[in-house]
Amino acid sequence: MWDYSDKVKEHFFTPKNAGAVVGANAIGEVGSISCGDALRLTLKVNPETEIIEESGFQTFGCGSAIASSSVLTEIIKGMTIDEALKVTNQDIANELDGLPPEKMHCSVMGREALQAAVANYRGEEWKDDHEEGALICKCFAIDAVMIEEMIWANKLRTVEDVTNFTKAGGGCAACHEDIEAILEKVLAEKGEKFDATVSTAAVEKVETPAIAAVKTPLTNVQRIKKIEEVLTSLRPQLMADGGDVELVEVVGNTVYVNMTGACNGCQMAAMTIAGIQQRLMEVLGEFLRVVPASEMKKLVNIEGAGHA
Amino acid sequence: MPDIYLDNNATTKVDPAVVDVMIPFFLEQYGNPSSIHKFADGVAKALKKARGQVQELIGAEHDSEIIFTSCGTESDSTAILSAIKAQPNRKEIITTTVEHAAILNLCENLEKEGYTIHRLPVDKCGRLNLDAYKKMLSDQVAIVSVMWANNETGTIFPVVEMAEMANSAGVMFHTDAVQAVGKIPMMLQDTKIDMLSISGHKLHAPKGIGVLYLRRGTRYRPLLRGGHQERGRRAGTENTASIVGLGKACEMAMEHMEYENVQVKAMRDKLEQGIIATVPHSFITGDLNNRLPNTTDIAFEYIEGEAILMLLNKAGIAASSGSACTSGSLEPSHVMRAMDIPYTAAHGTIRFSFSRYNTMSEVDEVLKVMPTIAATLRKLSPYWDSVTNEPVANPEAAFTPTFK
């Protein structure tokens, strides 16, 4: 069974605002019955103030779908519809103390139901631009459709390219076979052939400019500059996800960083840090440990710590 | 009431008597069966006994037809890869749409390597069409692999007859019998089945032990080469304690065969009849006339399986579901899709699978909570009208969410 948080269980076992709101003037219906998730959100919006006075949900779906629906109705009650539209799926997941990667789509469904309901209230037609594929990378919750689109859009050719552009495959690496299969399929559609031996350097580097690996021993200043350079090269990817990273200190072989923005508190932060560490080790050619700066005081006495 | 385990097709409790016979092989007779000293002198004899116990349960003619493996999946892979390696000119495989992933994913992979895979469809009751099967048999087919009984619905396939047909056409026949062995009687020596897979943990032996039955004279190529273990047909030091445990479990399954088919079946029947009678809009899936005695798979319309399981779990009841959400995939169980069960029901299928450890009072307990669980979730369902307590009129049309 999934490792659901207590918050998810609480909202599943005792859902809030279940059922349709009587006299609702905003209705959103989204989901996919083939996937086994569908949600009807009904809202009563005060036409004067545009405040959501009542919200109710009806959900056909699993435990986390029901919990996401329930928590969404709680979040938006009392908001104006403009405020409600700012609620992201991450807000829904956060309110539930996180969801397993396979279940993040339940929070997406909640946000979409909300958009659909608001569109319905305003007499607009809501169009879903979101297509969902089979989950490929479980570390970063990246699905097949996303990978395919990125391969098309960025002329990717290798698993490493896919990892650089989507993060898929950057964690445990168990999905590399599946990523290769997708590459093979998309490249065949483009009339090209997937070659596992081709080097990544052949691709136009947009987000991760190659940084020459160093071999000779570095001075501390050179070393820190190099680390900064690597972090700068990774920054666009993090920023694309609404996050950022900042170098705080280097002590011995431990690199302390601050994860900010969306990275801060994100379940994936640990994986991201692992990715940064991997890249740093590749470029600097030495063992380095990347640690959140929040751990700094616990681990070392900075004043007294000399460089190893 | 202690928790109720009704997920025996997933795996079973190891019988305490099985654990007892295994322990000496961890602590005393831990020698390598190939060694010549007193730490090993009882081991070879114990393996021989276990081989005989497995032979007895499946009615094999010779005990040398029993090859111990690590699991059902290894047995399945060994069988199919052996058949294609031994007959390199044959590039086709016949199987069904409702096999276990151990067969389906292997076949899908072989398809990428250029093999043609024929997947026999099933009807709404999960039955195969033998005429269609007969037409597929040819000298291009390397092997037929058809499960003896389906893990989700318990539906039994006519493998004895299908093996005869394959044999007449000169085609090898394998059956994944992990759900059937120990639950229904079999006498392999009277059949034309060439290979059969067993998984220990489905019949109260531990996990990590399996068997490939290989009929004497069947052309064979090992998956693992190395030492002389299992007469060179499956190299690797024997998992002695588990083999001994599996032997004991087979002996006990033999003793309980009648119990399984009378008392266990009675519990299953009472549960499914009770549910159908008390939960509206629920139905049993599979071939009701040809099923394992311990399995029932019930579809609860308009609600989703994982949510049902979570509420069952809260009530102390363990079962499993064919919903997409339980496995993290995008589609409900391939078995339900193959039987063309509508999505609104396929996502709400729950499998209850019994063993000889279950009791009638446990059945009563499940019957007590099931109607409430279904009603609770239906109250939340957009397909359900909580005023009339019926599905909304024309449910599929009444609720049509964006992006289907």
Short mmCIF file of all heavy atoms in Angstrom, two decimals, chain A residues 7-13 15 57 59 62-73 92 96 99:
data_model
loop_
_atom_site.label_atom_id
_atom_site.label_comp_id
_atom_site.label_asym_id
_atom_site.label_seq_id
_atom_site.Cartn_x
_atom_site.Cartn_y
_atom_site.Cartn_z
N LYS A 7 -2.32 13.15 7.20
CA LYS A 7 -3.24 14.15 6.69
C LYS A 7 -4.10 13.58 5.56
O LYS A 7 -5.30 13.83 5.50
CB LYS A 7 -2.40 15.32 6.18
CG LYS A 7 -2.79 16.75 6.43
CD LYS A 7 -3.43 17.12 7.70
CE LYS A 7 -3.93 18.55 7.73
NZ LYS A 7 -2.90 19.57 7.51
N VAL A 8 -3.46 12.81 4.67
CA VAL A 8 -4.21 12.18 3.57
C VAL A 8 -5.25 11.24 4.15
O VAL A 8 -6.43 11.27 3.76
CB VAL A 8 -3.26 11.41 2.61
CG1 VAL A 8 -4.08 10.62 1.59
CG2 VAL A 8 -2.31 12.37 1.90
N LYS A 9 -4.82 10.43 5.11
CA LYS A 9 -5.74 9.46 5.71
C LYS A 9 -6.91 10.18 6.38
O LYS A 9 -8.06 9.77 6.25
CB LYS A 9 -5.00 8.58 6.72
CG LYS A 9 -4.06 7.60 6.06
CD LYS A 9 -3.38 6.73 7.12
CE LYS A 9 -2.12 6.09 6.55
NZ LYS A 9 -1.16 5.74 7.60
N GLU A 10 -6.57 11.25 7.09
CA GLU A 10 -7.61 11.99 7.79
C GLU A 10 -8.68 12.50 6.81
O GLU A 10 -9.87 12.32 7.03
CB GLU A 10 -6.93 13.17 8.51
CG GLU A 10 -7.81 14.00 9.40
CD GLU A 10 -7.07 15.28 9.81
OE1 GLU A 10 -5.89 15.18 10.22
OE2 GLU A 10 -7.67 16.36 9.68
N HIS A 11 -8.22 13.09 5.70
CA HIS A 11 -9.18 13.62 4.73
C HIS A 11 -9.91 12.52 3.98
O HIS A 11 -11.01 12.71 3.49
CB HIS A 11 -8.48 14.56 3.74
CG HIS A 11 -8.38 15.97 4.26
ND1 HIS A 11 -9.42 16.86 4.17
CD2 HIS A 11 -7.38 16.60 4.90
CE1 HIS A 11 -9.05 18.01 4.72
NE2 HIS A 11 -7.82 17.87 5.19
N PHE A 12 -9.27 11.34 3.87
CA PHE A 12 -9.95 10.23 3.20
C PHE A 12 -11.02 9.63 4.12
O PHE A 12 -12.15 9.42 3.72
CB PHE A 12 -8.95 9.15 2.78
CG PHE A 12 -9.64 7.90 2.31
CD1 PHE A 12 -10.35 7.89 1.11
CD2 PHE A 12 -9.60 6.74 3.06
CE1 PHE A 12 -11.02 6.75 0.68
CE2 PHE A 12 -10.27 5.59 2.64
CZ PHE A 12 -10.97 5.60 1.45
N PHE A 13 -10.63 9.35 5.35
CA PHE A 13 -11.56 8.67 6.25
C PHE A 13 -12.71 9.58 6.70
O PHE A 13 -13.83 9.13 6.89
CB PHE A 13 -10.83 8.07 7.45
CG PHE A 13 -9.99 6.87 7.08
CD1 PHE A 13 -8.63 6.84 7.36
CD2 PHE A 13 -10.57 5.77 6.46
CE1 PHE A 13 -7.86 5.73 7.02
CE2 PHE A 13 -9.80 4.65 6.11
CZ PHE A 13 -8.44 4.64 6.38
N PRO A 15 -13.91 12.78 5.07
CA PRO A 15 -13.81 13.86 4.07
C PRO A 15 -14.69 15.06 4.45
O PRO A 15 -15.75 14.90 5.06
CB PRO A 15 -14.32 13.20 2.79
CG PRO A 15 -15.01 11.95 3.19
CD PRO A 15 -14.51 11.56 4.53
N PHE A 57 -17.56 18.45 -3.11
CA PHE A 57 -16.95 17.60 -4.15
C PHE A 57 -17.65 16.25 -4.22
O PHE A 57 -18.21 15.77 -3.23
CB PHE A 57 -15.45 17.38 -3.86
CG PHE A 57 -15.19 16.37 -2.77
CD1 PHE A 57 -15.02 15.02 -3.10
CD2 PHE A 57 -15.12 16.74 -1.44
CE1 PHE A 57 -14.79 14.08 -2.10
CE2 PHE A 57 -14.89 15.80 -0.44
CZ PHE A 57 -14.72 14.47 -0.77
N THR A 59 -16.28 12.59 -5.84
CA THR A 59 -15.10 12.00 -6.47
C THR A 59 -15.25 10.50 -6.64
O THR A 59 -15.65 9.80 -5.73
CB THR A 59 -13.85 12.30 -5.63
OG1 THR A 59 -13.61 13.70 -5.63
CG2 THR A 59 -12.62 11.60 -6.18
N CYS A 62 -9.34 7.08 -5.95
CA CYS A 62 -8.64 6.37 -4.89
C CYS A 62 -8.56 7.25 -3.63
O CYS A 62 -9.08 8.36 -3.58
CB CYS A 62 -7.24 6.03 -5.37
SG CYS A 62 -6.30 7.46 -5.87
N GLY A 63 -7.87 6.76 -2.64
CA GLY A 63 -7.76 7.46 -1.37
C GLY A 63 -7.20 8.86 -1.52
O GLY A 63 -7.75 9.81 -0.96
N SER A 64 -6.14 9.01 -2.32
CA SER A 64 -5.53 10.34 -2.42
C SER A 64 -6.36 11.27 -3.29
O SER A 64 -6.30 12.49 -3.12
CB SER A 64 -4.10 10.23 -2.95
OG SER A 64 -4.08 9.56 -4.17
N ALA A 65 -7.15 10.72 -4.22
CA ALA A 65 -8.04 11.56 -5.02
C ALA A 65 -9.12 12.16 -4.13
O ALA A 65 -9.44 13.34 -4.22
CB ALA A 65 -8.67 10.76 -6.16
N ILE A 66 -9.66 11.31 -3.26
CA ILE A 66 -10.70 11.79 -2.35
C ILE A 66 -10.10 12.80 -1.35
O ILE A 66 -10.67 13.86 -1.11
CB ILE A 66 -11.38 10.59 -1.64
CG1 ILE A 66 -12.24 9.82 -2.66
CG2 ILE A 66 -12.21 11.05 -0.44
CD1 ILE A 66 -12.79 8.50 -2.18
N ALA A 67 -8.92 12.49 -0.84
CA ALA A 67 -8.28 13.40 0.12
C ALA A 67 -7.95 14.74 -0.55
O ALA A 67 -8.16 15.80 0.03
CB ALA A 67 -7.02 12.75 0.69
N SER A 68 -7.45 14.70 -1.81
CA SER A 68 -7.11 15.94 -2.52
C SER A 68 -8.36 16.78 -2.74
O SER A 68 -8.34 18.01 -2.59
CB SER A 68 -6.48 15.64 -3.89
OG SER A 68 -5.27 14.97 -3.73
N SER A 69 -9.47 16.11 -3.10
CA SER A 69 -10.72 16.84 -3.33
C SER A 69 -11.18 17.51 -2.04
O SER A 69 -11.58 18.67 -2.02
CB SER A 69 -11.82 15.88 -3.80
OG SER A 69 -11.38 15.07 -4.85
N SER A 70 -11.12 16.72 -0.96
CA SER A 70 -11.59 17.22 0.32
C SER A 70 -10.78 18.43 0.77
O SER A 70 -11.33 19.45 1.17
CB SER A 70 -11.51 16.08 1.35
OG SER A 70 -11.64 16.58 2.65
N VAL A 71 -9.46 18.32 0.67
CA VAL A 71 -8.62 19.41 1.16
C VAL A 71 -8.78 20.65 0.28
O VAL A 71 -8.76 21.78 0.76
CB VAL A 71 -7.15 18.95 1.29
CG1 VAL A 71 -6.40 19.03 -0.02
CG2 VAL A 71 -6.43 19.74 2.37
N LEU A 72 -9.00 20.43 -1.01
CA LEU A 72 -9.20 21.56 -1.92
C LEU A 72 -10.44 22.36 -1.51
O LEU A 72 -10.39 23.60 -1.43
CB LEU A 72 -9.36 21.05 -3.36
CG LEU A 72 -9.85 22.08 -4.38
CD1 LEU A 72 -8.77 23.12 -4.65
CD2 LEU A 72 -10.28 21.43 -5.69
N THR A 73 -11.53 21.65 -1.21
CA THR A 73 -12.75 22.37 -0.84
C THR A 73 -12.53 23.18 0.44
O THR A 73 -13.10 24.27 0.59
CB THR A 73 -13.94 21.41 -0.63
OG1 THR A 73 -13.59 20.42 0.33
CG2 THR A 73 -14.34 20.74 -1.93
N ILE A 92 -2.04 22.07 -2.84
CA ILE A 92 -2.94 20.99 -2.40
C ILE A 92 -2.11 19.87 -1.78
O ILE A 92 -2.41 19.38 -0.69
CB ILE A 92 -3.78 20.47 -3.59
CG1 ILE A 92 -4.68 21.60 -4.12
CG2 ILE A 92 -4.60 19.26 -3.19
CD1 ILE A 92 -5.40 21.27 -5.42
N LEU A 96 -1.65 18.47 2.29
CA LEU A 96 -1.82 17.07 2.68
C LEU A 96 -0.52 16.48 3.24
O LEU A 96 -0.40 15.26 3.38
CB LEU A 96 -2.28 16.24 1.48
CG LEU A 96 -3.71 16.50 0.99
CD1 LEU A 96 -3.94 15.84 -0.36
CD2 LEU A 96 -4.72 15.98 2.02
N LEU A 99 2.30 13.96 -1.23
CA LEU A 99 1.65 12.81 -1.86
C LEU A 99 2.74 11.96 -2.50
O LEU A 99 3.76 12.50 -2.94
CB LEU A 99 0.68 13.28 -2.95
CG LEU A 99 -0.66 13.88 -2.52
CD1 LEU A 99 -1.36 14.52 -3.72
CD2 LEU A 99 -1.56 12.83 -1.88
#
